[in-house]
């Protein structure tokens, strides 16, 4: 079993690596309302401005060098400025 302190350490690395959110492959968000670690969970809050994006079809989380941390297809209409919450849970998987 992996110690909680080590899982938290890995979450800290993930949190530090997050540099931007890319919507629909083109719109970049680099300012976050919150980017924090609690235990082994990374919480990322950011605002999608309705004036910039009316429909989100993909969300990518990237490092500063533009390498991808995560990618997910979505269907999210944006009718007003929208506060998003992304979470990354670092956990041990046993087989």
């Amino acid at each position: 079993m992996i110690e909680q302190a080590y899982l938290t350490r890995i979450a800290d690395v993930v949190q530090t690596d997050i540099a931007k959110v890319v919507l629909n492959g083109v719109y970049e968000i680099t300012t976050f309302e919150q980017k924090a670690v609690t235990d082994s969970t990374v919480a990322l809050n950011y605002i999608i401005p309705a004036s910039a994006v009316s429909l989100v079809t993909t969300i990518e989380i990237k490092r500063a060098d533009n390498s991808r941390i995560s990618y997910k297809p979505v269907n999210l209409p944006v009718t007003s400025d929208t506060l998003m919450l992304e979470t990354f849970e670092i956990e041990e998987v046993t087989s």
Side-chain angles (χ1 to χ4, degrees):
M1 180 168 200
I2 298 175
E3 294 293 320
Q4 180 60 47
Y6 192 70
L7 294 173
T8 300
R9 184 173 167 201
I10 295 169
D12 285 333
V13 170
V14 171
Q15 183 263 354
T16 301
D17 277 358
I18 295 171
K20 60 186 165 184
V21 175
V22 180
L23 306 176
N24 302 338
V26 293
Y27 185 77
E28 293 188 1
I29 297 171
T30 57
T31 303
F32 305 110
E33 299 297 303
Q34 179 183 26
K35 189 167 77 160
V37 173
T38 303
D39 297 324
S40 55
T41 301
V42 179
L44 178 65
N45 290 87
Y46 55 92
I47 293 178
I48 300 174
S51 62
V53 180
S54 61
L55 176 67
V56 179
T57 58
T58 61
I59 300 173
E60 297 174 89
I61 309 299
K62 293 190 171 188
R63 294 178 186 87
D65 67 1
N66 219 32
S67 61
R68 189 186 298 165
I69 295 172
S70 74
Y71 171 89
K72 70 179 122 200
V74 297
N75 184 14
L76 175 65
V78 180
T79 57
S80 63
D81 290 355
T82 304
L83 176 63
M84 294 292 290
L85 168 63
E86 299 268 348
T87 58
F88 302 88
E89 295 182 35
I90 312 302
E91 51 190 28
E92 179 177 14
V93 177
T94 58
S95 54

